Amino acid sequence: MEKTLVLIKPDGVERGLVGQILSVYERKCLRICKMKLIQADENLAKKHYEEHKDKPFFKELVDYLVSGKLVAMIIEGESAISIVRKENGDKDPLKADCATIRGMYANSRTKNLVHASDSLEAAKREISLWFPEV
Ligand code: CDP
Ligand code: MG
């Protein structure tokens, strides 16, 4: 079974959307293996978004990730990596399909509620970053 790292970012927690977001994954027969509500520090946020360190939006992105508590989880299931990315939807609110989490609830390119690993390698790296004990 495939595993992926998912974050419900601080706007999702702040807006009280944790339950709705989890239900999207659960109804798709994906299983939550590990889950925690935590406040990420800057070091963790920077490592998580390392691939974007040279982008103009990097600082805003890191500030956003540490702006409040977030939910980090490992989700498992058949094709979990692609299915979760599909359910999350496009990061551009103008492109996100209305049936996706971002399409339904997000209207910002930065504050877009969710993160999910985009490949097997990213999933491995991100799971060990957020759940070093695994
Ligand atoms: O999250 P996803 O993998 O779909 O997108 P990404 O291209 O890896 O970008 C990571 C995150 O950076 C996005 O989810 C947004 O929160 C943020 N971002 C932004 O603030 N401005 C952009 N122009 C692009 C991305
Ligand atoms: Mg990404």
Side-chain angles (χ1 to χ4, degrees):
M1 273 302 170
E2 206 166 83
K3 286 189 169 125
T4 189
L5 186 279
V6 177
L7 303 177
I8 301 178
K9 302 194 221 179
D11 54 330
V13 174
E14 175 66 29
R15 290 173 57 193
L17 293 172
V18 173
Q20 313 239 37
I21 292 170
L22 290 179
S23 74
V24 171
Y25 305 137
E26 288 184 323
R27 74 184 183 197
K28 200 75 182 174
C29 304
L30 298 170
R31 205 173 68 82
I32 300 160
C33 303
K34 281 243 172 202
M35 182 163 70
K36 60 186 177 187
L37 179 72
I38 54 158
Q39 170 84 49
D41 64 21
E42 208 175 296
N43 187 38
L44 180 57
K46 281 183 172 163
K47 276 192 190 149
H48 176 77
Y49 277 128
E50 207 167 55
E51 65 173 308
H52 297 302
K53 67 178 188 311
D54 299 323
K55 307 268 172 65
F57 58 82
F58 184 65
K59 190 189 177 306
E60 188 188 356
L61 180 56
V62 168
D63 288 348
Y64 160 48
L65 207 66
V66 303
S67 66
K69 286 184 179 167
L70 57 78
V71 175
M73 70 191 108
I74 301 172
I75 286 195
E76 183 181 61
E78 190 75 38
S79 307
I81 294 171
S82 328
I83 297 278
V84 172
R85 297 273 303 176
K86 228 175 160 174
E87 294 288 348
N88 284 0
D90 198 284
K91 64 177 172 267
D92 182 343
L94 296 175
K95 290 191 192 144
D97 186 293
C98 289
T100 62
I101 292 167
R102 286 167 171 173
M104 281 189 286
Y105 302 120
N107 193 8
S108 158
R109 273 201 128 181
T110 301
K111 295 190 172 181
N112 57 8
L113 298 167
V114 280
H115 164 85
S117 312
D118 63 7
S119 65
L120 265 176
E121 301 68 45
K124 275 196 193 121
R125 188 185 83 85
E126 293 169 5
I127 285 171
S128 63
L129 202 55
W130 291 89
F131 295 93
E133 72 277 14
V134 170

mmCIF file of all heavy atoms in Angstrom, residues 49 51-52 85 115-116 118 126, ligand 2:
data_model
loop_
_atom_site.group_PDB
_atom_site.id
_atom_site.type_symbol
_atom_site.label_atom_id
_atom_site.label_comp_id
_atom_site.label_asym_id
_atom_site.label_seq_id
_atom_site.Cartn_x
_atom_site.Cartn_y
_atom_site.Cartn_z
ATOM 1 N N TYR A 49 9.399 22.900 2.507
ATOM 2 C CA TYR A 49 9.243 23.571 1.216
ATOM 3 C C TYR A 49 10.586 23.903 0.552
ATOM 4 O O TYR A 49 10.657 24.834 -0.252
ATOM 5 C CB TYR A 49 8.382 24.825 1.377
ATOM 6 C CG TYR A 49 6.888 24.534 1.345
ATOM 7 C CD1 TYR A 49 6.045 24.992 2.348
ATOM 8 C CD2 TYR A 49 6.324 23.813 0.289
ATOM 9 C CE1 TYR A 49 4.676 24.727 2.299
ATOM 10 C CE2 TYR A 49 4.972 23.545 0.244
ATOM 11 C CZ TYR A 49 4.151 24.007 1.242
ATOM 12 O OH TYR A 49 2.797 23.754 1.194
ATOM 13 N N GLU A 51 12.230 22.777 -1.881
ATOM 14 C CA GLU A 51 12.270 22.865 -3.357
ATOM 15 C C GLU A 51 11.873 24.261 -3.870
ATOM 16 O O GLU A 51 12.167 24.614 -5.001
ATOM 17 C CB GLU A 51 11.361 21.804 -3.994
ATOM 18 C CG GLU A 51 9.901 22.014 -3.695
ATOM 19 C CD GLU A 51 8.944 21.070 -4.441
ATOM 20 O OE1 GLU A 51 9.051 20.978 -5.662
ATOM 21 O OE2 GLU A 51 8.101 20.452 -3.775
ATOM 22 N N HIS A 52 11.186 25.034 -3.015
ATOM 23 C CA HIS A 52 10.739 26.362 -3.444
ATOM 24 C C HIS A 52 11.599 27.486 -2.877
ATOM 25 O O HIS A 52 11.208 28.655 -2.928
ATOM 26 C CB HIS A 52 9.285 26.580 -3.016
ATOM 27 C CG HIS A 52 8.318 25.620 -3.653
ATOM 28 N ND1 HIS A 52 8.177 25.501 -5.010
ATOM 29 C CD2 HIS A 52 7.456 24.714 -3.109
ATOM 30 C CE1 HIS A 52 7.265 24.578 -5.278
ATOM 31 N NE2 HIS A 52 6.820 24.078 -4.148
ATOM 32 N N ARG A 85 -3.645 13.983 -4.268
ATOM 33 C CA ARG A 85 -3.357 15.189 -5.060
ATOM 34 C C ARG A 85 -4.570 15.574 -5.900
ATOM 35 O O ARG A 85 -4.903 16.744 -6.033
ATOM 36 C CB ARG A 85 -2.161 14.950 -5.999
ATOM 37 C CG ARG A 85 -0.841 14.668 -5.311
ATOM 38 C CD ARG A 85 -0.058 15.872 -4.957
ATOM 39 N NE ARG A 85 0.252 16.742 -6.066
ATOM 40 C CZ ARG A 85 0.875 17.911 -5.917
ATOM 41 N NH1 ARG A 85 1.230 18.319 -4.707
ATOM 42 N NH2 ARG A 85 1.123 18.672 -6.947
ATOM 43 N N HIS A 115 -1.674 20.311 1.766
ATOM 44 C CA HIS A 115 -0.454 19.897 1.068
ATOM 45 C C HIS A 115 -0.489 18.389 0.937
ATOM 46 O O HIS A 115 -0.957 17.700 1.845
ATOM 47 C CB HIS A 115 0.808 20.284 1.861
ATOM 48 C CG HIS A 115 2.018 19.537 1.363
ATOM 49 N ND1 HIS A 115 2.759 19.983 0.288
ATOM 50 C CD2 HIS A 115 2.552 18.343 1.729
ATOM 51 C CE1 HIS A 115 3.726 19.087 0.038
ATOM 52 N NE2 HIS A 115 3.615 18.093 0.896
ATOM 53 N N ALA A 116 0.028 17.864 -0.157
ATOM 54 C CA ALA A 116 0.214 16.416 -0.270
ATOM 55 C C ALA A 116 1.460 16.125 -1.088
ATOM 56 O O ALA A 116 1.753 16.834 -2.064
ATOM 57 C CB ALA A 116 -0.998 15.769 -0.926
ATOM 58 N N ASP A 118 4.048 14.798 -3.765
ATOM 59 C CA ASP A 118 3.754 14.657 -5.194
ATOM 60 C C ASP A 118 4.453 13.487 -5.875
ATOM 61 O O ASP A 118 4.358 13.318 -7.089
ATOM 62 C CB ASP A 118 4.065 15.975 -5.921
ATOM 63 C CG ASP A 118 5.533 16.354 -5.844
ATOM 64 O OD1 ASP A 118 6.350 15.557 -5.351
ATOM 65 O OD2 ASP A 118 5.876 17.474 -6.288
ATOM 66 N N GLU A 126 9.138 13.512 3.132
ATOM 67 C CA GLU A 126 8.227 14.313 3.959
ATOM 68 C C GLU A 126 7.714 13.527 5.164
ATOM 69 O O GLU A 126 7.540 14.089 6.243
ATOM 70 C CB GLU A 126 7.064 14.833 3.093
ATOM 71 C CG GLU A 126 7.554 15.850 2.059
ATOM 72 C CD GLU A 126 6.512 16.210 1.002
ATOM 73 O OE1 GLU A 126 5.354 15.757 1.099
ATOM 74 O OE2 GLU A 126 6.865 16.959 0.073
HETATM 75 MG MG MG B 2 4.190 20.783 -4.143
#
